[in-house]
Amino acid sequence: MLNKDTKLIFVSVIGTLLEWAEYSIYGYMAAKIGALFFPQFDAKNALILTFGIFAAGFIARPLGGMVFGHVGDKFGRKQALTISIALMGLATVAIGLLPTYAEIGIYAPLLLLMCRIMQGFAASGEFNGAAIFLIEHAKPQNKNLAGSWVAAAAAAGMVLGAMMVSLVSYDWMPSWAWRLPFWFGALSCFVGIYLRRHISESPEFLSLGQQSQSNQAPIKILLHNNKMAMLQTATIAAFIGIYVYICNIYFTSFLINTVHFSAHQAILIAAFGQALVALGIPLMGKIADHFGGRTMLLLGLIGATTAAPVIFFLGMMHTIGTALCAQALYALFNTMTSAPVFNYLNQLFPTSRRYSGIAIPWSLSMAIFGGTAPIISQYLVGTWQFVAGPAIYVSLSAVTAFIAIISSSLLSSRRLYAS
């Protein structure tokens, strides 16, 4: 039998794991989806269009962040998490049932676009919400570790997604096998809904009493009182989105189309990187609780700035060993930034506006920067032949996040000194 804390962690992160498995399936299967839904284009342009729909899925995230942020702050974290996982399940099963371009022509990519937008809307309520929920349940000395479980679950979900895509990519699989990961993911979502029925609401939210009910315009209040905190959240989210979607998701397509690895090899290499992330994040969370989350976050950003060019350099060497080393390097700085990030962001906002304060800027930043990262990378490499472009983009995002955190700390210190 699981103890109470373990059960809470498992039930809280199960939705994140399943949602990220489903969300990453599309990215890892980009080449296959391009051939099925854009067969009238050559491989490079089909891949750009496929990543374009990947990016379009992020358009709904800001709206989702506003809706789920309001629900989470007014009606409870549990309510928002339940709705988000249900919507993700519906959108995912719909993708698995879609007819291809060969069957219905231009309507196929249009329907795919609608499903991806629904997925993006749903995802904006799960990732941050689950972290907030766990951190608000955790003891003061374990809050970085509590938040790290959600990031670890997201990485584990990407591993699961990669393994499912790898399995259906074998030549002996039937032509319709690409649908199986989506069907499995949708079924798992509804299992997650069932498991969440009996978990208790966040004690910090319950302690607000009727205060949360009177919070009618969280966005207006946030823009007035928490502008700097929202800016920090946006820059950190931009870095994490760019880093993960370029150095792992896009890196898979880079290995296939530029370095000429087989799809099976490239997906397994990416899965290896995400497996290291899933295993390493809780360890980094525990270390962050001892030495300080902000310090670890800043060190991770410095490391990612220099690591990104090395990751792509190692990938270009066209050996499995160096590609695996590239993903190990990616994993190191992913764990250092992802483990403490949620507890750091939680401390920036009061409980009554925390869900909205994190979800809105995070979702907006992911829509602008995270969702577009693969298509920008493919355009830089595939069209401009600028192989170093994606790595430079990652480094610039890390520097920007670093400056935002340091600037905010200096501004707070000056205000404290002036008072």
Side-chain angles (χ1 to χ4, degrees):
M1 291 290 293
L2 299 175
N3 63 40
K4 182 180 178 181
D5 290 341
T6 304
K7 183 178 180 181
L8 178 68
I9 292 170
F10 175 76
V11 175
S12 298
V13 304
I14 185 68
T16 301
L17 185 147
L18 297 174
E19 287 193 0
W20 279 75
E22 295 150 14
Y23 218 64
S24 63
I25 284 167
Y26 185 97
Y28 290 133
M29 208 183 283
K32 178 70 173 179
I33 290 174
L36 289 170
F37 288 86
F38 302 101
Q40 72 273 37
F41 295 96
D42 61 69
K44 286 184 178 180
N45 286 322
L47 190 60
I48 288 176
L49 289 169
T50 303
F51 280 136
I53 289 183
F54 181 88
F58 286 76
I59 292 174
R61 282 201 174 196
L63 177 60
M66 293 171 62
V67 171
F68 287 112
H70 185 68
V71 172
D73 283 333
K74 185 173 182 180
F75 300 106
R77 302 1 182 168
K78 180 180 174 180
Q79 187 83 347
L81 291 173
T82 301
I83 296 170
S84 70
I85 194 173
L87 288 176
M88 178 62 81
L90 291 172
T92 302
V93 73
I95 292 177
L97 295 172
L98 284 180
T100 63
Y101 187 93
E103 296 169 306
I104 61 170
I106 191 63
Y107 296 106
L110 291 177
L111 289 172
L112 178 62
L113 174 62
M114 292 174 61
C115 292
R116 285 292 299 169
I117 289 174
M118 187 173 175
Q119 276 192 325
F121 181 87
S124 63
E126 177 69 31
F127 191 49
N128 306 113
I132 292 168
F133 186 76
L134 276 177
I135 291 170
E136 289 181 348
H137 270 280
K139 297 175 182 178
Q141 67 270 24
N142 292 326
K143 288 189 177 291
N144 282 298
L145 177 61
S148 75
W149 288 116
V150 176
M158 293 179 72
V159 175
L160 179 61
M163 297 306 292
M164 286 192 288
V165 172
S166 177
L167 179 63
V168 301
S169 67
Y170 283 107
D171 293 336
W172 48 265
M173 294 293 287
S175 60
W176 53 267
W178 68 272
R179 301 179 184 274
L180 291 175
F182 294 103
W183 293 345
F184 173 81
L187 175 63
S188 301
C189 260
F190 297 113
V191 172
I193 295 172
Y194 175 79
L195 292 174
R196 281 181 174 174
R197 290 188 309 163
H198 302 298
I199 59 174
S200 59
E201 182 55 85
S202 154
E204 289 189 31
F205 176 81
L206 292 176
S207 69
L208 292 174
Q210 294 302 311
Q211 181 182 343
S212 62
Q213 303 298 320
S214 62
N215 198 10
Q216 298 296 322
I219 301 174
K220 185 182 294 186
I221 298 171
L222 284 164
L223 291 174
H224 185 265
N225 297 331
N226 305 101
K227 289 190 289 291
M228 197 65 195
M230 293 181 76
L231 178 61
Q232 283 191 71
T233 303
T235 56
I236 293 170
F239 160 73
I240 290 178
I242 291 169
Y243 187 65
V244 173
Y245 290 126
I246 288 181
C247 292
N248 185 261
I249 294 288
Y250 172 73
F251 190 73
T252 306
S253 297
F254 176 80
L255 291 179
I256 296 170
N257 295 297
T258 303
V259 191
H260 305 300
F261 277 83
S262 70
H264 184 67
Q265 288 175 326
I267 292 168
L268 288 179
I269 289 168
F272 168 77
Q274 286 305 128
L276 292 180
V277 173
L279 293 172
I281 283 180
L283 174 62
M284 288 295 182
K286 193 67 177 176
I287 295 172
D289 279 324
H290 185 73
F291 292 103
R294 179 179 175 277
T295 299
M296 178 175 285
L297 179 58
L298 290 173
L299 289 174
L301 290 170
I302 293 171
T305 302
T306 56
V310 179
I311 289 170
F312 279 85
F313 174 77
L314 291 172
M316 284 291 293
M317 295 182 72
H318 201 284
T319 69
I320 291 178
T322 55
L324 290 173
C325 288
Q327 284 301 288
L329 190 61
Y330 152 79
L332 173 62
F333 297 110
N334 186 322
T335 58
M336 290 182 68
T337 52
S338 296
V341 69
F342 291 114
N343 187 43
Y344 177 79
L345 295 178
N346 267 28
Q347 295 172 21
L348 299 179
F349 299 94
T351 306
S352 61
R353 299 190 296 275
R354 184 172 291 153
Y355 211 123
S356 297
I358 297 175
I360 293 171
W362 185 285
S363 300
L364 181 62
S365 193
M366 280 290 178
I368 296 171
F369 299 103
T372 60
I375 192 171
I376 289 173
S377 299
Q378 177 60 24
Y379 189 76
L380 289 171
V381 175
T383 304
W384 284 9
Q385 304 298 308
F386 185 29
V387 178
I392 294 173
Y393 189 35
V394 173
S395 298
L396 288 174
S397 70
V399 170
T400 302
F402 182 90
I403 292 173
I405 294 171
I406 293 297
S407 299
S408 177
S409 299
L410 292 174
L411 183 61
S412 298
S413 298
R414 287 176 183 174
R415 286 175 177 171
L416 183 63
Y417 178 77
S419 63

